[in-house]
Amino acid sequence: DNMNSPRRSPRRNRSTNQQGGPLSHWRNLNHRWRRQYIDFGHCRIAKCTDRLQASNNNAEQLMELKTRGLSFVALAITAGATASGAMRSAKELDVIDYITTAASFGLNVNDDVHGESSVELASYHGMHRVLIQLLDLGCPLKKAGCRSNAVVAAVRNGQHTALDIILSKRRADASKVIKEAVSEYFSSGYYFSPLMLAIKKHDAASLQLLISYGLALMSDYDFVRTRKNIDRVLRDCYVGISNVFSNVSHWCRELHWSFPTTDRETLNWLRHAGLLPDEIWRRVFSYIGRGWFLQHNGISTLNPPLRSEVLQSNIIP
Protein backbone atom coordinates (compact mmCIF):
# COMPACT_ATOMS: atom_id res chain seq x y z
CA ASP A 1 0.00 0.00 0.00
CA ASN A 2 1.67 3.20 -1.12
CA MET A 3 -0.23 5.10 1.56
CA ASN A 4 1.66 3.40 4.37
CA SER A 5 5.39 3.87 4.56
CA PRO A 6 7.68 1.83 6.82
CA ARG A 7 8.21 3.61 10.11
CA ARG A 8 11.58 5.27 10.48
CA SER A 9 13.49 5.19 13.74
CA PRO A 10 12.19 7.62 16.35
CA ARG A 11 15.78 8.48 17.17
CA ARG A 12 16.30 11.74 15.30
CA ASN A 13 19.25 14.02 14.82
CA ARG A 14 19.19 17.10 17.02
CA SER A 15 21.17 20.27 16.76
CA THR A 16 23.61 20.40 19.63
CA ASN A 17 22.79 24.03 20.30
CA GLN A 18 19.00 23.71 20.10
CA GLN A 19 17.33 25.25 23.13
CA GLY A 20 14.16 24.36 24.97
CA GLY A 21 14.74 20.66 25.81
CA PRO A 22 12.87 18.84 28.58
CA LEU A 23 15.21 19.71 31.44
CA SER A 24 15.08 23.44 30.75
CA HIS A 25 11.26 23.26 30.92
CA TRP A 26 10.93 20.93 33.90
CA ARG A 27 14.01 21.44 36.06
CA ASN A 28 12.02 23.31 38.73
CA LEU A 29 8.87 21.17 38.65
CA ASN A 30 7.84 19.26 41.74
CA HIS A 31 8.90 15.66 42.22
CA ARG A 32 5.60 14.22 40.90
CA TRP A 33 6.02 15.77 37.47
CA ARG A 34 9.72 14.99 37.26
CA ARG A 35 8.73 11.35 37.67
CA GLN A 36 6.62 11.72 34.52
CA TYR A 37 9.75 12.52 32.54
CA ILE A 38 11.54 9.46 33.93
CA ASP A 39 8.63 7.06 33.38
CA PHE A 40 7.98 8.24 29.84
CA GLY A 41 11.64 7.60 29.15
CA HIS A 42 10.98 3.96 30.05
CA CYS A 43 7.72 3.89 28.03
CA ARG A 44 5.58 3.51 31.18
CA ILE A 45 2.74 5.50 29.64
CA ALA A 46 -0.12 3.90 31.58
CA LYS A 47 1.68 4.64 34.86
CA CYS A 48 1.98 8.28 33.83
CA THR A 49 -1.76 8.37 33.08
CA ASP A 50 -2.52 7.01 36.56
CA ARG A 51 -0.28 9.65 38.11
CA LEU A 52 -2.00 12.40 36.15
CA GLN A 53 -5.45 11.13 37.14
CA ALA A 54 -4.38 11.01 40.79
CA SER A 55 -3.64 14.74 40.64
CA ASN A 56 -7.29 15.53 39.86
CA ASN A 57 -7.93 16.63 43.44
CA ASN A 58 -4.78 18.71 43.68
CA ALA A 59 -5.45 22.03 41.95
CA GLU A 60 -2.00 23.36 42.81
CA GLN A 61 -0.21 20.55 40.98
CA LEU A 62 -2.39 20.91 37.88
CA MET A 63 -1.96 24.68 37.91
CA GLU A 64 1.80 24.17 37.82
CA LEU A 65 1.43 22.41 34.46
CA LYS A 66 -1.14 24.86 33.11
CA THR A 67 0.99 27.91 33.83
CA ARG A 68 3.90 26.33 31.94
CA GLY A 69 1.76 25.10 29.04
CA LEU A 70 2.77 21.51 29.75
CA SER A 71 0.91 18.21 29.56
CA PHE A 72 3.74 15.80 28.63
CA VAL A 73 1.72 14.64 25.61
CA ALA A 74 4.69 15.21 23.29
CA LEU A 75 6.76 12.98 25.56
CA ALA A 76 4.00 10.35 25.60
CA ILE A 77 3.99 10.25 21.78
CA THR A 78 7.77 9.99 21.66
CA ALA A 79 7.62 7.12 24.16
CA GLY A 80 4.88 5.28 22.26
CA ALA A 81 6.80 5.59 19.00
CA THR A 82 9.67 3.51 20.40
CA ALA A 83 7.43 0.40 20.46
CA SER A 84 7.10 -1.92 17.47
CA GLY A 85 4.85 -4.71 16.24
CA ALA A 86 1.74 -5.54 18.28
CA MET A 87 3.13 -3.59 21.22
CA ARG A 88 3.07 -0.39 19.18
CA SER A 89 -0.71 -0.53 18.76
CA ALA A 90 -1.13 -1.10 22.50
CA LYS A 91 1.16 1.81 23.31
CA GLU A 92 -0.75 4.07 20.93
CA LEU A 93 -3.93 3.28 22.87
CA ASP A 94 -2.08 4.19 26.05
CA VAL A 95 -1.12 7.52 24.49
CA ILE A 96 -4.76 8.14 23.52
CA ASP A 97 -5.84 7.47 27.11
CA TYR A 98 -3.19 9.88 28.36
CA ILE A 99 -4.29 12.61 25.95
CA THR A 100 -7.93 12.11 26.94
CA THR A 101 -7.01 12.56 30.61
CA ALA A 102 -4.84 15.61 29.93
CA ALA A 103 -7.56 17.23 27.83
CA SER A 104 -10.20 16.60 30.52
CA PHE A 105 -8.03 18.57 32.98
CA GLY A 106 -7.69 21.48 30.56
CA LEU A 107 -3.99 20.97 29.93
CA ASN A 108 -2.26 22.04 26.73
CA VAL A 109 -2.15 18.75 24.80
CA ASN A 110 -0.11 20.32 22.00
CA ASP A 111 3.01 20.93 24.07
CA ASP A 112 6.42 20.26 22.58
CA VAL A 113 9.72 18.54 23.17
CA HIS A 114 12.96 19.65 21.48
CA GLY A 115 10.93 22.21 19.53
CA GLU A 116 8.54 19.65 18.01
CA SER A 117 4.85 19.81 18.88
CA SER A 118 2.59 16.89 19.74
CA VAL A 119 0.83 17.10 16.35
CA GLU A 120 4.14 17.20 14.50
CA LEU A 121 5.44 14.17 16.41
CA ALA A 122 2.24 12.15 15.85
CA SER A 123 2.49 12.94 12.14
CA TYR A 124 6.18 12.07 11.89
CA HIS A 125 5.79 8.74 13.70
CA GLY A 126 2.61 7.75 11.87
CA MET A 127 0.47 7.47 15.01
CA HIS A 128 -2.74 7.91 13.06
CA ARG A 129 -5.32 7.57 15.83
CA VAL A 130 -3.36 9.96 18.02
CA LEU A 131 -3.06 12.41 15.13
CA ILE A 132 -6.82 12.32 14.51
CA GLN A 133 -7.49 12.83 18.20
CA LEU A 134 -5.21 15.88 18.38
CA LEU A 135 -6.68 17.41 15.24
CA ASP A 136 -10.20 16.85 16.58
CA LEU A 137 -9.14 18.63 19.77
CA GLY A 138 -8.28 21.66 17.63
CA CYS A 139 -4.49 21.51 17.73
CA PRO A 140 -2.83 23.60 14.97
CA LEU A 141 -0.59 22.05 12.32
CA LYS A 142 2.16 24.52 13.24
CA LYS A 143 2.63 25.54 16.82
CA ALA A 144 3.87 29.05 17.52
CA GLY A 145 7.54 28.94 18.40
CA CYS A 146 8.20 25.68 16.56
CA ARG A 147 10.19 25.79 13.33
CA SER A 148 8.49 23.08 11.29
CA ASN A 149 4.93 21.77 11.01
CA ALA A 150 2.93 18.54 10.81
CA VAL A 151 2.69 18.55 6.99
CA VAL A 152 6.47 18.64 6.59
CA ALA A 153 6.87 16.04 9.34
CA ALA A 154 4.67 13.54 7.48
CA VAL A 155 6.55 14.04 4.20
CA ARG A 156 9.93 13.91 5.92
CA ASN A 157 9.24 10.41 7.26
CA GLY A 158 7.20 9.10 4.31
CA GLN A 159 4.02 8.83 6.41
CA HIS A 160 1.49 8.95 3.61
CA THR A 161 -1.57 7.99 5.66
CA ALA A 162 -0.73 10.71 8.17
CA LEU A 163 -0.35 13.21 5.33
CA ASP A 164 -3.73 12.17 3.89
CA ILE A 165 -5.36 12.58 7.31
CA ILE A 166 -3.94 16.08 7.69
CA LEU A 167 -4.89 17.24 4.20
CA SER A 168 -8.41 15.77 4.38
CA LYS A 169 -9.20 17.19 7.83
CA ARG A 170 -7.28 20.48 7.65
CA ARG A 171 -6.80 21.42 4.02
CA ALA A 172 -7.17 25.16 4.62
CA ASP A 173 -4.72 25.11 7.52
CA ALA A 174 -2.26 23.03 5.50
CA SER A 175 -2.45 25.51 2.64
CA LYS A 176 -1.71 28.35 5.05
CA VAL A 177 1.41 26.79 6.60
CA ILE A 178 2.72 25.79 3.15
CA LYS A 179 2.31 29.34 1.79
CA GLU A 180 3.93 30.85 4.88
CA ALA A 181 7.12 28.82 4.39
CA VAL A 182 8.76 31.41 2.11
CA SER A 183 7.92 34.44 4.27
CA GLU A 184 9.15 32.63 7.38
CA TYR A 185 12.48 32.00 5.64
CA PHE A 186 13.27 35.70 5.86
CA SER A 187 12.79 35.83 9.62
CA SER A 188 14.17 32.43 10.66
CA GLY A 189 16.58 31.37 7.91
CA TYR A 190 14.88 27.96 7.78
CA TYR A 191 12.83 26.80 4.80
CA PHE A 192 10.23 24.05 5.30
CA SER A 193 8.46 23.10 2.08
CA PRO A 194 6.67 19.73 1.81
CA LEU A 195 6.68 20.02 -1.98
CA MET A 196 10.44 20.56 -2.15
CA LEU A 197 11.01 17.74 0.32
CA ALA A 198 8.80 15.27 -1.58
CA ILE A 199 10.57 16.01 -4.87
CA LYS A 200 14.08 15.79 -3.41
CA LYS A 201 13.20 12.49 -1.70
CA HIS A 202 11.60 11.20 -4.93
CA ASP A 203 8.46 10.53 -2.89
CA ALA A 204 5.82 10.25 -5.61
CA ALA A 205 3.10 9.19 -3.14
CA SER A 206 3.46 12.36 -1.04
CA LEU A 207 3.61 14.47 -4.19
CA GLN A 208 0.44 12.87 -5.56
CA LEU A 209 -1.38 13.65 -2.31
CA LEU A 210 -0.29 17.29 -2.44
CA ILE A 211 -1.43 17.47 -6.07
CA SER A 212 -4.80 15.82 -5.37
CA TYR A 213 -5.60 18.35 -2.64
CA GLY A 214 -4.46 21.28 -4.77
CA LEU A 215 -1.55 22.06 -2.46
CA ALA A 216 1.32 21.50 -4.88
CA LEU A 217 2.39 24.90 -6.16
CA MET A 218 6.03 25.36 -7.04
CA SER A 219 7.68 28.48 -5.66
CA ASP A 220 10.73 29.94 -7.38
CA TYR A 221 12.82 28.73 -4.47
CA ASP A 222 11.35 25.21 -4.65
CA PHE A 223 12.31 25.08 -8.32
CA VAL A 224 15.87 26.22 -7.72
CA ARG A 225 16.31 23.52 -5.08
CA THR A 226 14.65 20.69 -7.05
CA ARG A 227 15.37 21.37 -10.73
CA LYS A 228 17.63 18.29 -10.98
CA ASN A 229 15.03 15.98 -9.40
CA ILE A 230 11.65 17.07 -10.66
CA ASP A 231 11.45 15.41 -14.10
CA ARG A 232 12.03 11.95 -12.68
CA VAL A 233 9.38 12.16 -9.95
CA LEU A 234 6.86 13.75 -12.36
CA ARG A 235 7.16 10.76 -14.67
CA ASP A 236 6.26 8.50 -11.75
CA CYS A 237 3.23 10.66 -10.92
CA TYR A 238 1.91 10.85 -14.48
CA VAL A 239 2.89 7.44 -15.83
CA GLY A 240 -0.61 6.82 -17.25
CA ILE A 241 -1.02 10.20 -18.97
CA SER A 242 0.86 10.03 -22.26
CA ASN A 243 0.84 13.74 -23.17
CA VAL A 244 2.42 14.56 -19.80
CA PHE A 245 4.76 11.60 -19.51
CA SER A 246 6.26 12.17 -22.95
CA ASN A 247 7.76 15.55 -22.07
CA VAL A 248 7.48 16.55 -18.42
CA SER A 249 9.94 19.44 -18.77
CA HIS A 250 7.62 21.52 -21.01
CA TRP A 251 4.35 23.23 -20.19
CA CYS A 252 0.99 21.53 -20.39
CA ARG A 253 -2.16 22.23 -18.41
CA GLU A 254 -1.68 19.26 -16.07
CA LEU A 255 1.82 20.45 -15.15
CA HIS A 256 1.02 24.13 -14.68
CA TRP A 257 1.41 23.76 -10.90
CA SER A 258 4.97 22.42 -11.32
CA PHE A 259 6.23 25.62 -12.97
CA PRO A 260 7.82 28.16 -10.59
CA THR A 261 5.82 31.17 -9.43
CA THR A 262 7.44 33.57 -11.89
CA ASP A 263 6.57 31.28 -14.80
CA ARG A 264 2.98 30.76 -13.69
CA GLU A 265 2.36 34.47 -13.14
CA THR A 266 3.86 35.37 -16.52
CA LEU A 267 1.79 32.74 -18.34
CA ASN A 268 -1.33 33.94 -16.55
CA TRP A 269 -0.65 37.52 -17.57
CA LEU A 270 -0.16 36.50 -21.20
CA ARG A 271 -3.32 34.39 -21.20
CA HIS A 272 -5.49 37.05 -19.56
CA ALA A 273 -4.28 39.68 -22.00
CA GLY A 274 -6.70 37.99 -24.38
CA LEU A 275 -4.64 38.51 -27.53
CA LEU A 276 -5.01 34.94 -28.80
CA PRO A 277 -7.57 32.14 -28.54
CA ASP A 278 -6.95 29.53 -25.86
CA GLU A 279 -6.07 26.85 -28.40
CA ILE A 280 -3.28 29.00 -29.82
CA TRP A 281 -1.98 29.81 -26.34
CA ARG A 282 -1.83 26.11 -25.51
CA ARG A 283 0.36 25.49 -28.54
CA VAL A 284 2.62 28.45 -27.79
CA PHE A 285 3.01 27.54 -24.13
CA SER A 286 3.86 23.93 -24.97
CA TYR A 287 7.25 25.14 -26.24
CA ILE A 288 8.09 26.79 -22.91
CA GLY A 289 10.35 24.86 -20.57
CA ARG A 290 10.07 24.96 -16.79
CA GLY A 291 11.97 27.92 -15.33
CA TRP A 292 12.31 29.80 -18.63
CA PHE A 293 10.77 33.08 -17.42
CA LEU A 294 12.42 32.77 -14.02
CA GLN A 295 15.86 32.56 -15.64
CA HIS A 296 15.25 35.35 -18.11
CA ASN A 297 13.87 37.70 -15.48
CA GLY A 298 17.19 37.55 -13.71
CA ILE A 299 15.63 36.75 -10.33
CA SER A 300 18.18 35.63 -7.75
CA THR A 301 18.43 31.90 -7.22
CA LEU A 302 19.98 32.43 -3.80
CA ASN A 303 16.89 33.68 -1.97
CA PRO A 304 13.16 32.90 -1.96
CA PRO A 305 11.13 34.91 -4.47
CA LEU A 306 9.97 38.43 -3.73
CA ARG A 307 6.79 37.96 -5.74
CA SER A 308 3.06 38.48 -5.38
CA GLU A 309 0.82 35.76 -4.02
CA VAL A 310 0.79 32.61 -6.14
CA LEU A 311 -2.14 32.21 -8.51
CA GLN A 312 -3.80 28.92 -7.68
CA SER A 313 -5.77 28.02 -10.80
CA ASN A 314 -4.66 26.60 -14.11
CA ILE A 315 -4.73 29.32 -16.71
CA ILE A 316 -6.43 27.56 -19.63
CA PRO A 317 -9.62 25.55 -19.07
Side-chain angles (χ1 to χ4, degrees), residues 195 206-216 234 237-238 254 257:
L195 177 62
S206 289
L207 183 56
Q208 286 172 329
L209 281 168
L210 292 170
I211 294 170
S212 67
Y213 283 97
L215 297 178
L234 284 176
C237 288
Y238 292 97
E254 292 86 348
W257 67 266

Side-chain angles (χ1 to χ4, degrees), residues 254-271:
E254 292 86 348
L255 293 179
H256 183 68
W257 67 266
S258 72
F259 278 59
T261 303
T262 298
D263 287 3
R264 291 200 311 278
E265 288 182 342
T266 304
L267 293 173
N268 271 280
W269 290 330
L270 290 172
R271 159 66 179 83

Side-chain angles (χ1 to χ4, degrees), residues 34-45:
R34 290 200 298 271
R35 290 298 307 177
Q36 293 287 77
Y37 173 60
I38 295 171
D39 286 334
F40 277 129
H42 293 280
C43 207
R44 295 192 284 256
I45 302 171

Side-chain angles (χ1 to χ4, degrees), residues 108-130:
N108 172 27
V109 296
N110 196 35
D111 62 351
D112 62 273
V113 59
H114 296 297
E116 295 169 309
S117 70
S118 300
V119 174
E120 186 181 348
L121 289 166
S123 176
Y124 178 87
H125 293 299
M127 301 185 77
H128 306 140
R129 289 171 291 180
V130 170

